[in-house]
Amino acid sequence: MPRPDQDSESARREHADGLLRALQRHDARRERARLRLFLGACPGVGKTVAMLEDAKARAARGQNVLVGLVETHGRRETSEHVGPLPQLPRRRVDYRGIVLDEFDLDGALQRRPDIVLVDELPHTNAPGSRNAKRWQDVVELLDAGIEVWTTVNVQHLESMHDVVAQVTGISVAETVPDGVLDRADEVVLIDASPETLLDRLRTGKIYAPDVARRAEQQFFKVGNLLALRELALRCTACRVDDEVQAYRQDAAVAGTWAVHEHVLVCVSAAPTSRAVVRAARRLADGLKAPWTALAVDVVHSAWGHDNRARVAGHLAYAESLGGQSRVAYAQTAADGIMALAGELNATRVVVGRPTHPRWRDRAFGSLIDDVVRRSQGLEVHVVRTDPAPAETTAAPKPHATDLRPWFEMLVVVALATVVAAAIDGILPFSQLIMVYLLGMVVVAVRCGSAPSWVAAGLSVAAFDFCFVPPRGTFAVSDVRYLLTFAVMFVVGIVVSGLTDRLRRQVIFAQQRERHVALQATLTRELAAAARLTDVAELVAGPIEQQLGTPLRLVETSGNLVACSKNLDVVWSMADRGRAVWSAERGERCGRGTQHLADGDWTLLPVALAGQTLAVLAAHAKADRQRDPADWPTLEAMTGQLGQALARIAAAEQAASTERRAERQELLNTMLSAVSHDLRTPLAALAGSIDTLARTHGDDGDLQQTLLASCRQQIDQMDMQIHNLLEMSRIETGELRLHTEWNSLEELVGTALQRCERLLGGRPVNVQLPPDLPLVNCDARAIEQVIVNIIENACKYSAAGQALAIAAWAAPGRIELAIADEGPGFEPGDLANLADRFFRGTEGRARGGFGLGLAICRALLEAHRGSLTFGNQPKGGARVTLSLPLEPAPAVPAIGSCNED
């Protein structure tokens, strides 16, 4: 038992820590602006009126209060409550021919009042506003140091969305994140009974008469109003409870405040603990209170293997009955119970009636007496512990006893006897006792408490037998030696006990350090994870090594997520079925739980906001229960993994949304281009064909001219449609390259043949060295690149102007340049020429979709090449494409085969 001065010192230390936390919280609140939130159950309770009345009182005391926005909904009573308060002019937004009045955020930031009133926090701002939601405007005001008062109904809280939809049958579209409520410095509950609300509704104080009739039939039902009122009261009560807990921690309040009931039941390794758990469940049900099962791992008396398995089963049993489970580490069981009772603000503690002999309580103290003496208003319930027959007969599987600590204990005592015999006669007789005490300390450090107690008795016996006259017997010639033996035994027991306790504290500190290191690793590594497989590799890699047990991340379908680490444990179809069950039910199962306990895996759902994202599988040996100390670590892991997976899913969804938006933009642009740019050649074709029909073959030259014009327009349409289809293939990821070794001279020749009509007889100067190396590429794709560049050059240069095509080999690449004699590129366009739908600066666009050069760049990048643009010194544009050079395949020499 700790001494009174130790208790007072611990209390003073806790009080000092509480004061430090209170100062830190006070400084944090002082550094940011205050948020005052008026919370109601539904429209009409009077939130806006209450806010305006409090604001007028503040203005009367000299504070600068500004009405940023108050929604009166045409009610004269609400407008009258604004009174003399200055109002901020609203920002007018023209949206699709409708003028909307919105909150002027910039005006409020410019005026910087002491307090600004912003009504209807969940409101969605008009398109084009700086922030999408009004609550984001409020956050910006707070960040600017301006105190904000606002209103919100409970059904608009994000966490209440599903509950409200289930109760009222109405899905609320506008919601506010619960983080805004958590940030509020003060929450003012505005309450009204359903009868009062219905009376206000019928008298037109909430909605206009026609709207009020529909609202009374759909939303303003007595059942809905009662349910919403209860949600508002519970929400406020939870916040007040958090504030009470924060105050108790800051003020270092040791006792519990019975503001609400909470039952704490103590379990141990005894089989009667299940009966105690059932009694606590009945007590909690009668009080309609939450309850928690607690197991205290006493530092100086850690659980053995069998006891640990029993405790794990009892905690799992408590969870199966609807309670929570906790494991505490403390110097004594009473310390752990009182610490958790204070943390949970428990009002009742349930313990089982002791079954051990009374002398143990007198010798080592009674747990029940300690708890009762330190309860300070906490009610202690002692229940009968008559277990069920199945519980008394159930026993863990026997395990082989480890004899090594006992063997080491015998060796240490024998070695101490040898050392004492060696120094006998050289050093004083009292020094021999020190040798045996040193041996006891060594045994306590290496072997534990039980061997150290036996070592104390054996050391006294060996000292008596070997060194106390008459030697060689256990007889004592001097009675004073009996006192020496007693002191030696007691000192040995005390020293061994303290040493063993210190050893266990070191082990406990190492476990805590491992837990902290595990959380730090999770936080650091998960922040950098960008894919689900990255998280799986982290779980099966560093986290598995730190936790010391095989871990796997499992999809909700039951399949293991692919990871780089080789599987050294079996994942069977039965394990997959358990994982699916855990994902569907949102409950843990497998080894050490109450559900599907057969198997070697413990499965915990990784969930966030009630949605299971994956399952964490922790392997355990088939002959042991899951260590209760593992549960807090595994639960913390699932929480962090859930946040990481939700972040990854949100990022993937955002990327998918962006890709869909880009594809939609592409589709819209293509449709626009088809409706406009293809109309011109179609009109020309129609006109030419009509003229041909009227000439009846009289004018052959005119017919040939018209036919040539038709062919030119058809070629232009074919090129544009081909570009549309090619860009569609590139955007949808359907582009597949079929590379082979090609001659650049053949590629250029084929492209010029395809552009023969487009060139229209203009001169083309081709300079291709005969020793150009082969290029490993997709011939069709590179030909398309050359055709698009030639088509672009012909479009922006006059008819008859020459084109120049040259190629050369450079280190590691081969380059092909195509130049014209036209006006060249505008300097401001060079950076955007290969962008999709870019058609040059205004006044220079020559039709088309602006896809030709974009397709060229995409095809070259698929070949690991590049596309560059520039102007020639004497005028004209120059486009250079570059392709990487690879070692050409060896061509076998003719006649190299030997004939037999």
Side-chain angles (χ1 to χ4, degrees):
M1 293 291 294
R3 299 192 307 271
D5 57 342
Q6 292 178 334
D7 290 341
S8 60
E9 178 64 26
S10 176
R12 285 194 296 268
R13 189 182 303 111
E14 292 180 359
H15 183 64
D17 293 341
L19 289 177
L20 178 60
R21 289 192 298 267
L23 289 175
Q24 291 174 346
R25 189 178 294 110
H26 176 72
D27 292 341
R29 290 179 177 177
R30 187 174 56 182
E31 291 175 357
R32 61 180 175 85
R34 287 176 52 83
L35 173 62
R36 193 179 190 202
L37 193 146
F38 292 80
L39 177 66
C42 63
V45 296
K47 304 180 301 298
T48 303
V49 172
M51 180 177 66
L52 290 172
E53 291 300 317
D54 287 359
K56 287 191 288 186
R58 291 290 186 94
R61 293 202 297 263
Q63 287 188 280
N64 182 9
V65 179
L66 175 66
V67 177
L69 185 142
V70 168
E71 297 289 356
T72 61
H73 299 288
R75 297 189 294 263
R76 181 175 55 85
E77 295 83 357
T78 306
S79 302
E80 292 176 351
H81 281 285
V82 176
L85 294 175
Q87 299 188 50
L88 180 70
R90 299 194 182 189
R91 180 173 58 89
R92 303 180 68 84
V93 179
D94 187 1
Y95 178 66
R96 295 183 179 180
I98 302 175
V99 179
L100 303 176
D101 292 335
E102 293 291 346
F103 172 60
D104 188 1
L105 175 60
D106 292 328
L109 292 172
Q110 184 177 2
R111 295 182 61 167
R112 297 195 63 83
D114 296 333
I115 302 173
V116 61
L117 310 185
V118 182
D119 202 10
E120 294 193 0
L121 186 63
H123 173 76
T124 300
N125 293 331
S129 302
R130 184 160 66 198
N131 296 316
K133 295 287 187 177
R134 186 170 293 171
W135 65 263
Q136 295 173 325
D137 295 339
V138 169
V139 171
E140 191 167 342
L141 290 171
L142 295 173
D143 293 338
I146 301 175
E147 182 175 347
V148 179
W149 292 7
T150 185
T151 62
V152 67
N153 291 325
V154 70
Q155 70 263 26
H156 292 290
L157 296 179
E158 182 66 34
S159 61
M160 300 293 179
H161 180 273
D162 296 335
V163 179
V164 172
Q166 180 182 4
V167 172
T168 64
I170 299 174
S171 180
V172 179
E174 294 179 326
T175 59
V176 176
D178 287 58
V180 178
L181 178 65
D182 297 336
R183 183 171 178 174
D185 298 275
E186 182 181 359
V187 175
V188 181
L189 176 65
I190 308 300
D191 187 31
S193 65
E195 292 77 9
T196 302
L197 288 172
L198 291 175
D199 181 66
R200 293 177 182 176
L201 180 68
R202 292 160 183 164
T203 55
K205 295 182 178 180
I206 301 179
Y207 298 123
D210 54 341
V211 178
R213 285 191 295 270
R214 293 196 302 270
E216 186 175 0
Q217 296 173 358
Q218 298 176 359
F219 185 80
F220 278 78
K221 300 177 181 179
V222 175
N224 292 351
L225 298 179
L226 288 172
L228 293 174
R229 188 184 188 190
E230 181 180 3
L231 289 176
L233 293 172
R234 288 184 179 275
C235 181
T236 308
C238 290
R239 178 177 176 84
V240 173
D241 183 66
D242 293 339
E243 294 176 353
V244 170
Q245 295 293 345
Y247 172 81
R248 294 180 68 251
Q249 292 179 1
D250 295 342
V253 178
T256 58
W257 291 357
V259 293
H260 64 84
E261 296 286 352
H262 193 121
V263 178
L264 182 65
V265 54
C266 305
V267 301
S268 65
T272 56
S273 291
R274 294 203 172 199
V276 180
V277 169
R278 289 192 291 269
R281 165 64 189 271
R282 291 193 297 269
L283 177 62
D285 287 346
L287 297 172
K288 299 187 183 305
W291 61 286
T292 303
L294 167 66
V296 181
D297 191 354
V298 180
V299 174
H300 63 81
S301 180
W303 295 321
H305 180 83
D306 294 343
N307 290 340
R308 191 172 294 274
R310 293 192 189 101
V311 170
H314 296 158
L315 293 178
Y317 179 69
E319 290 186 354
S320 69
L321 296 181
Q324 301 294 322
S325 66
R326 295 286 294 272
V327 177
Y329 301 89
Q331 296 289 339
T332 65
D335 291 340
I337 294 172
M338 299 311 300
L340 187 62
E343 178 183 342
L344 300 178
N345 199 22
T347 56
R348 301 169 189 262
V349 173
V350 180
V351 295
R353 179 178 60 85
T355 57
H356 53 257
R358 185 182 297 273
W359 65 266
R360 289 187 55 182
D361 292 340
R362 295 178 178 177
F364 301 104
S366 171
L367 170 64
I368 296 177
D369 290 343
D370 291 345
V371 173
V372 171
R373 291 179 182 275
R374 301 169 58 181
S375 60
Q376 297 183 1
L378 183 68
E379 294 187 19
V380 181
H381 296 253
V382 182
V383 300
R384 294 181 57 186
T385 53
D386 296 331
E391 296 170 351
T392 57
T393 58
K397 297 179 180 180
H399 297 272
T401 303
D402 189 4
L403 299 178
R404 186 178 60 178
W406 300 94
F407 178 75
E408 291 181 357
M409 179 268 297
L410 295 175
V411 171
V412 171
V413 173
L415 183 60
T417 303
V418 172
V419 173
I423 64 175
D424 186 21
I426 300 176
L427 295 178
F429 190 74
S430 59
Q431 300 299 321
L432 304 181
I433 300 176
M434 297 296 104
V435 174
Y436 282 105
L437 290 178
L438 178 61
M440 297 177 197
V441 172
V442 173
V443 172
V445 171
R446 292 184 55 85
C447 306
S449 57
S452 66
W453 296 341
V454 176
L458 290 179
S459 297
V460 172
F463 177 71
D464 179 20
F465 186 82
C466 298
F467 302 105
V468 175
R471 300 191 178 192
T473 67
F474 291 104
V476 179
S477 60
D478 192 345
V479 179
R480 289 177 296 180
Y481 280 114
L482 296 178
L483 179 61
T484 302
F485 295 158
V487 172
M488 181 178 174
F489 181 77
V490 172
V491 171
I493 291 295
V494 172
V495 171
S496 299
L498 293 176
T499 305
D500 181 63
R501 178 178 297 186
L502 180 61
R503 179 179 67 87
R504 296 185 184 276
Q505 288 178 343
V506 170
I507 296 174
F508 172 68
Q510 291 174 347
Q511 293 175 347
R512 294 294 298 272
E513 182 182 1
R514 185 187 66 172
H515 177 76
V516 172
L518 178 65
Q519 298 302 318
T521 302
L522 272 173
T523 303
R524 181 179 64 256
E525 299 294 339
L526 288 177
R531 298 173 301 173
L532 181 62
T533 53
D534 296 338
V535 179
E537 292 174 1
L538 172 65
V539 169
I543 303 305
E544 176 181 291
Q545 295 176 2
Q546 290 190 26
L547 197 59
T549 184
L551 295 174
R552 294 296 179 266
L553 193 65
V554 188
E555 297 176 336
T556 54
S557 61
N559 296 321
L560 293 176
V561 181
C563 58
S564 60
K565 189 180 176 84
N566 294 327
L567 277 175
D568 53 358
V569 289
V570 178
W571 182 256
S572 63
M573 291 298 297
D575 295 326
R576 177 180 176 183
R578 297 185 188 94
V580 173
W581 186 93
S582 178
E584 292 177 350
R585 301 288 186 89
E587 300 179 17
R588 61 190 186 189
C589 65
R591 175 67 58 180
T593 69
Q594 290 294 309
H595 305 292
L596 308 176
D598 55 330
D600 298 338
W601 292 91
T602 301
L603 304 169
L604 297 90
V606 178
L608 188 68
Q611 179 183 5
T612 301
L613 306 176
V615 176
L616 178 66
H619 192 266
K621 295 181 180 179
D623 60 345
R624 65 180 289 259
Q625 288 280 353
R626 170 66 59 186
D627 191 337
D630 291 345
W631 289 117
T633 302
L634 293 175
E635 293 288 353
M637 283 183 58
T638 58
Q640 290 185 279
L641 290 174
Q643 295 178 359
L645 295 181
R647 175 181 56 80
I648 293 174
E652 292 178 350
Q653 183 178 4
S656 176
T657 302
E658 183 177 359
R659 289 193 297 269
R660 287 197 299 269
E662 291 178 352
R663 292 174 183 173
Q664 185 64 35
E665 179 187 0
L666 174 64
L667 177 61
N668 294 338
T669 306
M670 287 181 177
L671 293 176
S672 176
V674 169
S675 63
H676 291 83
D677 293 326
L678 294 185
R679 184 176 298 171
T680 300
L682 286 175
L685 284 173
S688 299
I689 292 173
D690 290 342
T691 305
L692 284 173
R694 289 194 299 268
T695 56
H696 301 288
D698 297 335
D699 192 344
D701 294 338
L702 178 60
Q703 287 184 358
Q704 292 298 322
T705 302
L706 292 174
L707 288 173
S709 175
C710 290
R711 185 64 191 183
Q712 181 182 2
Q713 298 298 330
I714 290 173
D715 290 342
Q716 182 180 351
M717 290 178 60
D718 180 70
M719 178 66 69
Q720 293 175 356
I721 293 174
H722 184 274
N723 285 342
L724 285 171
L725 295 176
E726 195 70 21
M727 180 56 69
S728 176
R729 292 176 59 235
I730 293 173
E731 288 293 326
T732 56
E734 297 179 0
L735 178 64
R736 298 291 185 270
L737 298 181
H738 303 282
T739 59
E740 57 184 359
W741 294 97
N742 296 280
S743 168
L744 190 61
E745 183 178 2
E746 295 180 359
L747 297 177
V748 173
T750 304
L752 289 175
Q753 290 179 2
R754 291 173 55 184
C755 298
E756 184 175 356
R757 280 190 296 270
L758 179 65
L759 292 171
R762 72 169 68 203
V764 180
N765 182 17
V766 180
Q767 297 180 358
L768 301 178
D771 57 347
L772 281 177
L774 298 178
V775 181
N776 188 21
C777 64
D778 186 326
R780 174 182 168 279
I782 299 303
E783 288 174 6
Q784 183 64 38
V785 170
I786 299 173
V787 168
N788 283 1
I789 296 175
I790 292 176
E791 189 265 344
N792 194 74
C794 294
K795 183 187 300 184
Y796 288 95
S797 61
Q801 289 184 337
L803 298 182
I805 301 177
W808 62 93
R813 65 185 187 277
I814 187 170
E815 296 184 348
L816 176 69
I818 302 175
D820 60 51
E821 296 178 351
F825 298 120
E826 290 291 335
D829 293 343
L830 292 176
N832 303 318
L833 288 173
D835 293 346
R836 291 178 303 169
F837 313 121
F838 184 79
R839 300 167 63 183
T841 55
E842 187 176 357
R844 292 183 53 83
R846 303 291 180 89
F849 302 154
L851 295 176
L853 295 180
I855 293 173
C856 293
R857 183 175 65 178
L859 294 175
L860 288 173
E861 288 178 350
H863 285 83
R864 294 179 292 110
S866 61
L867 189 67
T868 57
F869 306 95
N871 291 320
Q872 299 191 92
K874 296 183 180 181
R878 180 185 181 91
V879 181
T880 304
L881 61 92
S882 177
L883 290 170
L885 277 180
E886 299 179 8
V891 180
I894 299 176
S896 60
C897 299
N898 296 325
E899 295 180 359
D900 294 335

